[in-house]
Amino acid sequence: MGNLLGFCYKSETVLQKEEDTKPVFSWDKREDLDPADYCFEDLDGVTRGKLPGQINGQQFSIENCKDCILFVLDNVASLTIDDCTNCVIFIGPSKGSVFIRDCTDVKLAVSCQQFRTRDCKRIDTYLHTNTQPIIESSVGMKFACLQINYLHLADQVKSSGLSLFNNEWSNIYDFTPVEHNSNFSLLPETAKFDTYLNEEHISSVSNSNKVAFSSHNSLFPLTVGTHNRDGFGKSALLSVFLGQINDYVEVNKLLKTVQNCECRLRRSKETKMNTDTVIRIYGESERSQNFSKFAKDGPVIGFEVEGDIDTLRKTLPSPQDVLVYLSTDTTSSKDINNFFNYVDMTMST
């Protein structure tokens, strides 16, 4: 009996040691979250906001709001917006999808991986999305390229795994098209999201976060889309091989030069290439060998540029840490088609 009791009984010290050595899983460390902190619901005629660090990549929802100004200056896992009317909404980068349902007369600014609407009317969307936007059973939809910057936005985009340069904002797919009409259109290139806000709204957001909706300092490049080519000028492919450089400082400098030369961007894409792909797009030459070395170590960013290409070619800087290529007049059409067809093909697989 004594041996049996000795086998079954364990001292508090032994029990504590076993407790200390138990495996600890990620869900055991997860802090309790209050769902009320991750939504805006049943609001009417108010301004509400969330600041950087208050959402930290959690899911967020907006439901049944009317005549409101709503902003979330933080990254989210995904976003749903349901049954909202006459609201102005800005949401920080979404790692996943943004799904809008049963909304009317909403002005929205958002960056996301995937964008979709269903049963909506008259939604103006200032959009940055890495995949093709989809609308379904929706009418009067208008789209523009998102132009915004604020404190911590760059870190939030990086945390969300989004590419600044893969923006499909104008490439809308309509699941429910109508004959002889279109359910969507593009807003003018000059459209700005802050026209829906007054000074009080902007100051409530901007004081400590430096929010700006200008194309001159936007984190997201302004592209005009591939629709309605209007003879703005010559076109060319501008490629940037980043190599081992992990930031986009040099890319931003190049884009400032593009703006100063009265050129604009039609579209942009970020991709990875191997040696065979580099040769297929840029031809087999000593130049391509250098391109391949940089492409092996980092991404390649391509822009379809149009405007005063001759002036751009004369003033385009040659950074030391990255390689830059601007196509010639004779190769521009082929280079543009080769680059963007390759990227579209790889992104669809």
Side-chain angles (χ1 to χ4, degrees), residues 126 145-150 153 189-195 197 202 206 210-222 256 259:
Y126 292 71
C145 182
L146 177 63
Q147 296 291 277
I148 190 171
N149 206 346
Y150 61 84
L153 177 58
E189 185 180 339
T190 55
K192 294 179 63 178
F193 186 73
D194 57 359
T195 57
L197 305 169
I202 296 175
S206 299
K210 301 180 181 179
V211 179
F213 296 97
S214 169
S215 61
H216 296 291
N217 53 12
S218 172
L219 181 67
F220 305 102
L222 175 62
K256 291 294 183 184
Q259 284 183 329

Side-chain angles (χ1 to χ4, degrees), residues 66-137:
K66 180 181 178 182
D67 300 326
C68 292
I69 307 293
L70 308 172
F71 60 88
V72 175
L73 299 181
D74 207 355
N75 57 303
V76 300
S78 62
L79 169 71
T80 56
I81 305 176
D82 294 297
D83 300 295
C84 290
T85 303
N86 197 35
C87 291
V88 178
I89 301 172
F90 169 75
I91 303 292
S94 172
K95 184 175 183 178
S97 64
V98 170
F99 199 1
I100 310 169
R101 299 170 291 202
D102 301 294
C103 292
T104 303
D105 294 320
V106 169
K107 318 300 182 186
L108 173 67
V110 68
S111 170
C112 59
Q113 181 67 32
Q114 182 185 57
F115 178 87
R116 186 166 182 173
T117 72
R118 190 179 69 202
D119 299 315
C120 291
K121 298 178 180 178
R122 299 183 298 277
I123 311 294
D124 290 3
T125 304
Y126 292 71
L127 181 62
H128 168 265
T129 179
N130 284 178
T131 58
Q132 186 176 29
I134 296 173
I135 64 173
E136 180 180 359
S137 302

Side-chain angles (χ1 to χ4, degrees), residues 11-175:
S11 69
E12 291 186 5
T13 302
V14 174
L15 290 173
Q16 183 62 48
K17 287 182 178 179
E18 291 185 355
E19 185 70 25
D20 293 341
T21 57
K22 281 184 178 180
V24 179
F25 301 99
S26 59
W27 51 83
D28 294 324
K29 298 179 180 180
R30 191 177 297 163
E31 59 184 281
D32 292 332
L33 302 177
D34 185 352
D37 292 334
Y38 302 91
C39 66
F40 293 135
E41 291 184 359
D42 303 320
L43 301 177
D44 190 346
V46 298
T47 298
R48 292 287 186 272
K50 298 288 185 179
L51 299 177
Q54 292 185 320
I55 306 302
N56 279 332
Q58 299 295 327
Q59 293 182 340
F60 200 86
S61 65
I62 302 175
E63 184 175 352
N64 194 32
C65 294
K66 180 181 178 182
D67 300 326
C68 292
I69 307 293
L70 308 172
F71 60 88
V72 175
L73 299 181
D74 207 355
N75 57 303
V76 300
S78 62
L79 169 71
T80 56
I81 305 176
D82 294 297
D83 300 295
C84 290
T85 303
N86 197 35
C87 291
V88 178
I89 301 172
F90 169 75
I91 303 292
S94 172
K95 184 175 183 178
S97 64
V98 170
F99 199 1
I100 310 169
R101 299 170 291 202
D102 301 294
C103 292
T104 303
D105 294 320
V106 169
K107 318 300 182 186
L108 173 67
V110 68
S111 170
C112 59
Q113 181 67 32
Q114 182 185 57
F115 178 87
R116 186 166 182 173
T117 72
R118 190 179 69 202
D119 299 315
C120 291
K121 298 178 180 178
R122 299 183 298 277
I123 311 294
D124 290 3
T125 304
Y126 292 71
L127 181 62
H128 168 265
T129 179
N130 284 178
T131 58
Q132 186 176 29
I134 296 173
I135 64 173
E136 180 180 359
S137 302
S138 300
V139 298
M141 310 295 287
K142 297 181 180 180
F143 293 87
C145 182
L146 177 63
Q147 296 291 277
I148 190 171
N149 206 346
Y150 61 84
L151 201 61
H152 305 303
L153 177 58
D155 291 335
Q156 293 171 4
V157 170
K158 185 176 181 179
S159 176
S160 299
L162 300 175
S163 167
L164 294 176
F165 306 102
N166 291 339
N167 191 358
E168 296 286 323
W169 72 270
S170 65
N171 187 24
I172 297 99
Y173 181 79
D174 188 353
F175 257 126

